[in-house]
Every structure is written in C-alpha cells, then in structure tokens.
C-alpha cells in the first residue's frame, strides 16, 4: 500500500487511457502525483479518483507537450508544489494514420512533437531533479516500434525513435543512478484506438 510513499510521480497524458490507469495504480501505492494533460475536466475527474484511491498528494498541470513553456511549467510546478521528481512517465501520445503516399507533413510534425520531442525535453528538464532522487523514467513506446505498419508510418517511426532514446538515455544517465526504461504495449482499448 505504501510502496510509493514519499515518491513523486509526474505522468503526462494522465487525463485518459493508459496514463489514467497508471495514475490510479500509483495512487493505490500511496504516491504523490503530478497529473498532466490538456483536458481540464478529465484531469479533475482523475485527480478526484486518485485522492479516493489513496494518493498522498495530487496536483493537476494543464499543459500541452508540444509547447516548450508548458513543459517547463509542468516540471517547475511539480517541484514547487510536491518538492521533487522521483518518476517521470512520458505517456502522452498521439496516434495518426498515414503512409508515404497519403501522409502529411503536418501530421509528421505533430506526432514527432508529442511522441518523441516531448519525452526528450521532459527528461532533460527533469534531469537535475532525477539526479537528486536517483529516480527513473518510463517511456510509453508501442509494439508498433517492432512492426512494419504501412498505414501508420509516422506513428511507428516515433516509437522506434523513442526506443532508441530510452537506450541512449539509460546508458548516459546510469552514472547518476537514474534508470530509464520503456514499455511496448500491444493493443489497449482507449480513446486512441
Ligand atoms: N492504446 C494502445 O493500444 C497503445 C498501444 C501501445 C502504446 N500506446 C501508447 O500509450 C500511450 C497512451 O496512449 P492511450 O492509448 O492511453 O491514448 P489516449 O487514451 O488517447 O491518451 C492519450 C493521452 O495523451 C495526452 N496528450 C495527447 N496529446 C497531448 C499534448 N499535445 N499535450 C499534452 N497531452 C497530450 C492526452 O491528454 P489530453 O487529451 O488531456 O491532452 C491523453 O491523456 C501513448 O504514448 C500511446 O502511443 C497505446
């Protein structure tokens, strides 16, 4: 029950789906949670349930991970209000269809920004705090990183990149006692699918 007592978990995309489920799982273990997303109503509902499930402390940060200022505020508010970061979960994700013939550069930029640039920058921004706690990072990749899906070429490229980022970061940051891992789920029934 108290496995996460005195630990602060920052979850992006905590407003629905897998991120919401992760929030409840950490709440049940007594963690303090920084719940991040864009949808204010959903975040409010998730926060209320986290409190009833046993979270020590909770905050909501309404933020868009495609915006650098928002990502900085996400980390700064977490540290200001909860004191530290022990676990960063890069879960926010955007799924889009499209291949070579029918994909667009707009979708390319959007999906790379949410699924790959944001995890990179949030890891960098959290680094001073993770050094202090000898914390960890969990990146939500996908089984699509290991599959060749012509109709989702942008999305799967972001997840291949995320797997590579995870491995590079694990090697680079291991010297600080920081662990970096990814998970590659198969199909989970959420808004995305
Ligand atoms: N579902 C699956 O089958 C599956 C399989 C493998 C991997 N995954 C991965 O698991 C992660 C979660 O996916 P899910 O299935 O739970 O999807 P989901 O229910 O659609 O949730 C996506 C989350 O990401 C947030 N998000 C999206 N764009 C954002 C942005 N620009 N700024 C801030 N937050 C943003 C959304 O929050 P707001 O709407 O509040 O902004 C939402 O909370 C993703 O990285 C996805 O690629 C999912």
């Amino acid at each position: 029950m108290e496995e996460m007592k005195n630990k602060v978990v920052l979850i992006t995309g905590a407003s629905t789906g897998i991120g919401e489920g992760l929030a409840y799982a950490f709440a049940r273990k007594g963690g303090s949670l920084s719940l991040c997303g864009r949808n204010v109503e959903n975040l409010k509902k998730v926060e209320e349930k986290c409190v009833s499930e046993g979270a020590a402390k909770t905050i909501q940060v309404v933020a868009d991970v495609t915006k650098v200022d928002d990502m900085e505020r996400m980390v700064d508010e977490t540290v200001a209000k909860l004191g530290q970061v022990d676990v960063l979960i890069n879960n926010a994700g955007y799924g889009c269809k499209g291949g070579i013939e029918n994909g667009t550069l707009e979708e390319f930029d959007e999906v790379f920004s949410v699924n790959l640039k944001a995890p990179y920058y949030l890891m960098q921004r959290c680094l001073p705090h993770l050094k202090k706690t000898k914390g960890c990072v969990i990146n939500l990749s996908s089984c699509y990183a290991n599959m060749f899906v012509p109709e989702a070429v942008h999305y799967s490229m972001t997840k291949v990149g995320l797997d590579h980022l995870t491995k590079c970061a694990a090697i680079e940051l291991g010297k600080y006692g920081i662990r970096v891992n990814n998970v590659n789920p198969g199909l989970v029934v959420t808004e995305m699918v």
Side-chain angles (χ1 to χ4, degrees), residues 13 15-18 38-39 63-65 91-93 141 155 159 185-186 188 190:
S15 48
T16 54
I18 294 173
R38 292 168 303 179
N39 187 312
D64 182 335
V65 298
N91 164 76
S141 182
Y155 177 78
K159 297 302 186 180
V188 182
T190 65

Side-chain angles (χ1 to χ4, degrees), residues 13-147:
S15 48
T16 54
I18 294 173
E20 177 183 357
L22 289 170
Y24 302 145
F26 282 109
R28 286 193 284 273
K29 291 184 182 295
S32 291
L33 304 173
S34 174
L35 304 165
C36 308
R38 292 168 303 179
N39 187 312
V40 183
E41 280 307 306
N42 285 349
L43 280 178
K44 192 166 169 274
K45 282 185 212 149
V46 173
E47 185 177 31
E48 282 167 6
K49 191 163 172 199
C50 283
V51 171
S52 69
E53 293 280 341
K57 291 183 198 162
T58 54
I59 62 164
Q60 296 169 37
V61 187
V62 179
D64 182 335
V65 298
T66 64
K67 296 180 179 156
V68 170
D69 288 354
D70 280 20
M71 287 192 279
E72 292 176 352
R73 187 167 46 78
M74 208 183 264
V75 179
D76 293 350
E77 273 188 33
T78 302
V79 174
K81 294 179 181 166
L82 301 177
Q84 63 202 56
V85 180
D86 296 274
V87 184
L88 165 66
I89 305 186
N90 283 310
N91 164 76
Y94 167 66
C96 65
K97 290 188 175 165
I100 311 301
E101 195 170 11
N102 60 2
T104 68
L105 285 183
E106 288 72 25
E107 280 179 335
F108 188 106
D109 286 343
E110 176 75 10
V111 75
F112 269 79
S113 184
V114 176
N115 294 9
L116 192 52
K117 189 168 153 189
Y120 172 83
Y121 187 61
L122 283 169
M123 222 186 309
Q124 191 177 69
R125 189 77 188 178
C126 284
L127 185 55
H129 310 293
L130 292 168
K131 279 182 182 176
K132 287 183 196 159
T133 56
K134 295 196 191 306
C136 69
V137 180
I138 300 165
N139 293 323
L140 258 291
S141 182
S142 166
C143 60
Y144 272 37
N146 301 307
M147 291 165 67

